[in-house]
Amino acid sequence: SYLVTRGASVAGSAMISHAADSHVRYGELYFRRGGSWPAGSRVALRHRDDDRPLGEIPQAPRTYDVVGFMNENQVAIGESTFGGREELRDPNGGIDYGSLMFLAMDRSRTAREAIRTIAELVAEHGYASTGESFSIGDPDEVWIMEIVGKGSDVVEDRKTKAKANRDRGAVWVAVRIPDGHVSAHANHARITTFPLENGTTSISSRSFERLSDPRVEVVYAHDVVDFARRKGYFTGRDEEFRFADAYAPIDFGAARFCEARVWSFFNGLCDGMDAWLDHAKGKDLAKRLPLSVKPDRKVSVADLMAAKRDHFDGTDLDMRRDAGAGPFGLPYRWRPLTFEHEGKTYLNERATATQQTGFSYVAQMRRWLPSPVGGILWFGVDDAATSVYMPISCGITRVPASLAVGNGDLLAYSDTSAFWTFNKVANFAYLRYDRMSADVRRVQQELETNLLGQVAAIDAAALALHGKDPTRARELLTDRASAVAAETVGRWEELFRYLLVKYMDGNVKKERDGRFERNEWGFPKPPDHPGYPDSWKRRVVEDAGERLLHPK
């Protein structure tokens, strides 16, 4: 997840991004209809990791429409899981991290309201997940919030004999990213030290009524330090307390598989990040990356899209540089992340772009426009490197058919599903990545450049309608999203057919001016046989040269 403040953005828009990396996550666009709810209404909760029911809690009197992970007020949320201390998982917790995200978007007008909603819900109902980092943004600011449970310390009331978890809830910290900075988190806790309650910039959960004060930049659970002391995780002075060190101590895997992705994002925007390269490699665990950095240049939507496609390109961790890339420079490694050989353990790099992404997005929040027009969820399914980010307004009233929930799933193929169409291209391109990825990028850039260029015109048309009839403006945005999705998925299906024809059987068909070539009688010209690079030939000879040697 990447976070970009207004002052660090080319357009002056706050942005966050997220990738739903999971081997069981399907790429679809959720839609939750808001409205007014009668007294006594309940909302059912299900765990995001396996869909098991968690129970019900009271519904809020008023909720907002939510498209994907942005609501109609331009409040957007992303996440990454960091696990933390295993003993702090509460198997009896009532609300998981996914439910917290959706409930916060359902009920919030600002990022600060979302933080308060999350904190109050876990305090009342208990927390059912491991450690989690949230990116929370609105048109004005972006925050990182990190939360971890308190375990299941069950005690019995002497009088009533009722059993209860005395530490119900969670400990957490939320930090506003300074304007002009960018931040990131990637499956490891990022918040270290933070100022304790000082009356102006930092408050505890006991002072929630002051959270709306714009001077407040840090808010935390009132017992976040005391609980760590009681559990033996921390023994120093209060001002020395480091949230990540107490609740998710860093190790080699956290640095190499997680912090390395944060480093790579910062490295693409700032000079001097080589100072933290050893940390990213897991060699210097003490030299922690800063929570945020000021980029050397302003960051655009296109920059974030490119960052979501990173394979550590051009760095010491570049995944195309070793034998694992095969003969065609594949920057992917199938799971597991580590493997054993002759008594030693080795690793596969964990890059930002990965094959098991269900969906990803860049959420753009623009304060100078009415929320239904200002909020854009740039949404893509499957591997970000072989996907296209489509602009979906937070003001839409229905989801494009190809992205809708119920159009296929991970075990049910659908001809009309965007997820399956993008998977066809990605999985075919993995076979001959050096050549096919270039064809994919060409169409990807063509589509995204066109879509980015259309934003101003769509804004103007929707804004003109919004002043007269907000409902018609939302219908315009809804129709536009459906058209964009249909055109994009249709173009990607054409790309798949083109790749299949061009690269079938390891050959490469001849082309001229975008058309496959035939001879003067209309018969296909003989294809090229590109073979293998010298580096791969050398490895084959080293491995099986005598058996494969051709006699003179």
Side-chain angles (χ1 to χ4, degrees):
S1 290
Y2 304 140
L3 303 87
V4 179
T5 59
R6 290 193 298 113
S9 161
V10 168
S13 54
M15 295 184 286
I16 67 168
S17 79
H18 168 67
D21 296 340
S22 166
H23 297 277
V24 294
R25 182 71 59 216
Y26 188 66
E28 56 194 354
L29 183 62
Y30 314 126
F31 183 78
R32 293 162 69 93
R33 174 70 73 184
S36 298
W37 302 89
S41 295
R42 310 278 291 178
V43 55
L45 306 180
R46 305 186 77 88
H47 202 291
R48 182 150 177 79
D49 287 344
D50 55 18
D51 205 37
R52 71 181 185 273
L54 292 172
E56 295 183 346
I57 66 169
Q59 178 62 283
R62 172 78 170 92
T63 62
Y64 303 103
D65 287 358
V66 179
V67 178
F69 288 85
M70 183 191 291
N71 74 13
E72 61 181 282
N73 302 312
Q74 301 190 71
V75 175
I77 302 182
E79 59 81 25
S80 70
T81 301
F82 62 78
R85 296 183 183 272
E86 182 61 31
E87 68 269 23
L88 296 183
R89 180 197 288 264
D90 181 1
N92 301 309
I95 300 183
D96 73 309
Y97 75 94
S99 299
L100 287 175
M101 297 169 73
F102 289 118
L103 291 168
M105 289 183 290
D106 284 347
R107 304 174 181 206
S108 304
R109 293 168 298 174
T110 67
R112 292 169 185 253
E113 286 188 7
I115 292 166
R116 180 168 184 166
T117 297
I118 290 171
E120 291 179 339
L121 284 171
V122 295
E124 182 176 357
H125 302 287
Y127 182 54
S129 295
T130 57
E132 201 74 27
S133 300
F134 295 121
S135 300
I136 306 175
D138 64 24
D140 292 306
E141 53 192 15
V142 294
W143 292 68
I144 180 171
M145 180 180 189
E146 297 192 323
I147 182 171
V148 68
K150 293 181 173 180
S152 183
D153 191 358
V154 178
V155 295
E156 184 177 86
D157 186 275
R158 292 180 180 178
K159 294 182 179 180
T160 65
K161 303 300 181 182
K163 293 182 179 180
N165 182 3
R166 70 168 175 170
D167 288 322
R168 189 172 182 83
V171 285
W172 52 269
V173 181
V175 178
R176 184 178 71 85
I177 304 305
D179 195 42
H181 279 225
V182 301
S183 184
H185 54 89
N187 302 114
H188 186 68
R190 299 273 294 116
I191 298 174
T192 54
T193 57
F194 56 92
L196 298 176
E197 192 153 16
N198 55 29
T200 52
T201 63
S202 183
I203 63 172
S204 76
S205 55
R206 287 175 171 156
S207 306
F208 260 145
E209 67 279 359
R210 292 184 41 247
L211 182 56
S212 60
D213 185 338
R215 294 174 298 175
V216 171
E217 298 175 340
V218 176
V219 58
Y220 56 91
H222 67 89
D223 60 345
V224 66
V225 179
D226 291 342
F227 182 76
R229 287 188 188 281
R230 182 158 66 79
K231 299 294 286 187
Y233 304 150
F234 174 68
T235 58
R237 293 177 296 153
D238 284 2
E239 58 268 27
E240 298 172 334
F241 179 74
R242 295 163 65 90
F243 181 88
D245 290 352
Y247 293 114
I250 195 166
D251 57 17
F252 174 84
R256 188 63 171 260
F257 299 139
C258 306
E259 293 287 90
R261 285 177 275 156
V262 176
W263 172 83
S264 191
F265 175 59
F266 289 174
N267 186 55
L269 298 173
C270 305
D271 289 335
M273 291 308 299
D274 279 352
W276 284 273
L277 180 56
D278 279 348
H279 176 74
K281 291 179 177 180
K283 295 180 179 180
D284 184 355
L285 300 183
K287 190 178 178 64
R288 295 295 299 271
L289 284 159
L291 181 62
S292 67
V293 295
K294 186 173 183 178
D296 295 338
R297 57 183 173 82
K298 301 283 188 177
V299 182
S300 68
V301 172
D303 290 331
L304 280 192
M305 292 175 180
K308 302 302 284 184
R309 294 166 175 148
D310 179 49
H311 300 107
F312 297 124
D313 307 293
T315 74
D316 288 357
L317 306 180
D318 194 324
M319 298 175 72
R320 300 167 298 181
R321 292 183 173 180
D322 61 64
F328 307 126
L330 182 67
Y332 295 90
R333 304 293 183 271
W334 314 139
R335 292 299 182 263
L337 274 174
T338 61
F339 59 94
E340 304 289 329
H341 182 67
E342 295 184 347
K344 294 182 179 180
T345 301
Y346 299 87
L347 62 91
N348 293 311
E349 303 292 0
R350 169 54 162 106
T352 300
T354 185
Q355 63 272 11
Q356 73 268 17
T357 300
F359 59 81
S360 61
Y361 57 83
V362 173
Q364 184 182 18
M365 293 79 78
R366 301 178 295 170
R367 69 199 300 254
W368 61 91
L369 291 168
S371 282
V373 182
I376 301 178
L377 196 74
W378 294 89
F379 187 78
V381 294
D382 192 40
D383 179 356
T386 53
S387 189
V388 174
Y389 286 109
M390 298 169 275
I392 308 292
S393 167
C394 74
I396 67 170
T397 57
R398 65 182 179 277
V399 170
S402 63
L403 300 173
V405 173
N407 188 353
D409 67 23
L410 207 60
L411 302 179
Y413 178 83
S414 169
D415 285 324
T416 58
S417 162
F419 178 77
W420 283 112
T421 298
F422 278 90
N423 262 282
K424 286 191 295 189
V425 169
N427 280 270
F428 190 46
Y430 295 155
L431 301 177
R432 186 76 201 231
Y433 200 80
D434 57 342
R435 290 177 177 266
M436 280 195 251
S437 62
D439 288 319
V440 172
R441 283 194 298 272
R442 174 176 52 81
V443 180
Q444 183 185 69
Q445 291 171 5
E446 167 198 313
L447 289 169
E448 287 180 348
T449 299
N450 186 38
L451 292 170
L452 286 162
Q454 293 175 13
V455 169
I458 299 300
D459 284 350
L463 189 59
L465 270 180
H466 188 272
K468 304 172 185 176
D469 188 342
T471 300
R472 287 184 60 202
R474 294 185 69 174
E475 279 302 308
L476 170 70
L477 294 168
T478 301
D479 291 343
R480 180 58 190 153
S482 293
V484 164
E487 292 164 6
T488 302
V489 175
R491 182 69 180 87
W492 221 245
E493 178 63 35
E494 291 177 9
L495 173 61
F496 173 69
R497 296 172 185 173
Y498 166 81
L499 294 174
L500 181 60
V501 171
K502 181 175 180 179
Y503 294 102
M504 185 176 65
D505 297 335
N507 300 323
V508 181
K509 304 292 195 307
K510 290 184 172 65
E511 292 179 275
R512 182 185 295 274
D513 300 327
R515 298 174 66 89
F516 294 119
E517 290 190 85
R518 298 177 182 272
N519 65 18
E520 57 188 303
W521 302 285
F523 199 75
K525 283 190 174 182
D528 292 327
H529 307 296
Y532 296 88
D534 286 343
S535 59
W536 187 255
K537 294 174 186 175
R538 182 169 56 253
R539 288 170 181 152
V540 172
V541 169
E542 290 170 355
D543 182 59
E546 289 301 317
R547 176 168 58 84
L548 301 177
L549 184 63
H550 191 292
K552 292 183 179 179

